């Protein structure tokens, strides 16, 4: 079967934007390929498979929240659900109960099983969506609603990839465009919330003393390499669908 090609050059460029191409792809891949005798492709497939096994769970969470967003009363806004604790704080009250120092009012009257000062949104996440167990010694049961969402997610991805780049090259406009729209919406909404000015000041004003902490550098490098997709094979796969005379320099 003939190797598929991108419908247009713009499809390829937008796909690269969605993946956040980095210079590490051009620097490390030839070196690793030479040092390992060309067997790096197998490693890329293995890494991609490992990445796939856990990253799709994030989309299952999104699917579950998307399903619940159609409820007439959002379950993470109020404390009238079966999973809520006596320490639950409704969304419309959390902004007034939580002060700028990060402390909550007296919760001495709460039961020992409740988490003082936890918002309704966080309780929905912890006690309904995930139902986090006490540790590895108590794994708990399967969260069937998440399992169903994971199956739906995998089916959608399979149908998407199975159709080839002729379809994915069009859908990528949605997958790349929607996050930017959501970021804009979150920015506007977040700027209108109480305490937003303090949050912006904390984000913009640097704490240079933190640069002495090695953990900061480790996490910064880890995030940079993760964003570049070094040796994951995705950049190579996408570029392989270009025409033989593609202008790489441009």
């Amino acid at each position: 079967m003939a190797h598929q090609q991108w419908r247009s050059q713009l499809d390829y460029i937008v796909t690269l934007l969605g993946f956040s191409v980095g210079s590490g792809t051009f620097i490390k891949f030839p070196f690793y390929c030479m040092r390992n005798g060309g067997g790096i492709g197998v490693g890329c497939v293995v890494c991609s498979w490992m990445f796939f096994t856990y990253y799709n769970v994030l989309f299952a969470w999104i699917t579950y929240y998307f399903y619940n967003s159609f409820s007439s009363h959002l379950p993470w806004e109020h404390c009238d659900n079966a999973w809520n604790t006596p320490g639950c704080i409704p969304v419309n009250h959390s902004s007034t109960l939580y002060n700028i120092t990060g402390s909550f009012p007296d919760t001495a009257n709460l039961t020992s099983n409740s988490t003082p000062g936890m918002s309704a949104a966080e309780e929905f996440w912890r006690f309904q969506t995930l139902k986090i167990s006490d540790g590895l010694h108590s794994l708990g049961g399967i969260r069937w609603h998440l399992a169903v969402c994971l199956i739906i997610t995998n089916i959608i991805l399979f149908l998407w990839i199975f159709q080839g780049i002729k379809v994915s090259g069009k859908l990528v406009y949605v997958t790349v465009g929607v996050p930017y729209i959501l970021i804009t919406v979150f920015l506007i909404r977040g700027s209108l919330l109480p305490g937003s000015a303090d949050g912006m000041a904390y984000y913009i004003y640097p704490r240079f003393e933190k640069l002495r902490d090695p953990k900061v550098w480790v996490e910064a490098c880890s995030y940079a390499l993760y964003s570049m997709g070094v040796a994951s094979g995705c950049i190579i796969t996408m570029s392989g669908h270009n025409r033989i005379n593609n202008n790489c320099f441009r």
Side-chain angles (χ1 to χ4, degrees):
M1 185 176 68
H3 196 56
Q4 289 186 324
Q5 294 183 344
W6 295 107
R7 183 175 56 93
S8 66
Q9 187 74 6
L10 186 60
D11 291 357
Y12 173 60
I13 294 175
V14 174
T15 304
L16 289 180
L17 288 176
F19 189 75
S20 301
V21 59
S23 58
T25 304
F26 306 101
I27 298 173
K28 283 197 170 185
F29 176 76
F31 169 72
Y32 283 160
C33 188
M34 177 189 66
R35 189 172 70 176
N36 293 279
I40 193 77
V42 178
C44 291
V45 173
V46 173
C47 289
S48 297
W49 174 255
M50 295 174 63
F51 180 78
F52 165 82
T53 56
Y54 79 86
Y55 201 77
N56 278 6
V57 176
L58 303 181
F59 291 98
W61 296 344
I62 295 173
T63 303
Y64 183 62
Y65 270 81
F66 181 72
Y67 168 78
N68 281 278
S69 66
F70 289 95
S71 303
S72 56
H73 300 285
L74 297 178
W76 52 80
E77 280 191 336
H78 57 85
C79 298
D80 300 328
N81 304 290
W83 60 81
N84 290 129
T85 67
C88 176
I89 301 176
V91 170
N92 57 343
H93 292 156
S94 59
S95 59
T96 58
L97 291 178
Y98 189 76
N99 57 41
I100 193 62
T101 61
S103 59
F104 287 91
D106 182 25
T107 53
N109 295 326
L110 300 179
T111 63
S112 59
N113 294 327
S114 62
T115 303
M118 185 177 292
S119 66
E122 187 173 357
E123 290 200 350
F124 174 79
W125 167 248
R126 287 176 173 268
F127 305 142
Q128 170 61 15
T129 304
L130 298 183
K131 199 174 183 179
I132 301 176
S133 64
D134 298 330
L136 292 177
H137 61 279
S138 176
L139 296 180
I142 298 176
R143 302 299 289 161
W144 289 106
H145 55 272
L146 292 181
V148 172
C149 291
L150 182 60
I151 293 174
I152 294 174
T153 300
N154 289 336
I155 292 176
I156 293 175
L157 290 175
F158 171 77
L159 295 176
W160 182 351
I161 298 174
F162 181 76
Q163 298 296 324
I165 63 171
K166 297 297 183 182
V167 174
S168 60
K170 298 176 182 178
L171 293 176
V172 74
Y173 288 94
V174 178
T175 60
V176 174
V178 168
Y180 284 100
I181 295 175
L182 292 177
I183 288 174
T184 305
V185 172
F186 292 156
L187 175 62
I188 297 174
R189 173 57 179 163
S191 301
L192 299 176
L193 293 175
S196 60
D198 297 311
M200 293 178 187
Y202 180 84
Y203 173 73
I204 296 174
Y205 183 75
R207 297 172 58 190
F208 291 105
E209 65 275 10
K210 296 290 290 185
L211 295 178
R212 295 194 296 265
D213 186 0
K215 183 180 178 181
V216 173
W217 295 93
V218 171
E219 292 186 350
C221 293
S222 174
Y223 184 79
L225 293 175
Y226 175 82
S227 300
M228 292 177 182
V230 177
S232 64
C234 297
I235 298 293
I236 305 163
T237 301
M238 291 184 290
S239 61
H241 291 287
N242 283 320
R243 295 180 176 87
I244 192 64
N245 59 347
N246 178 59
N247 191 338
C248 297
F249 291 102
R250 181 180 64 185

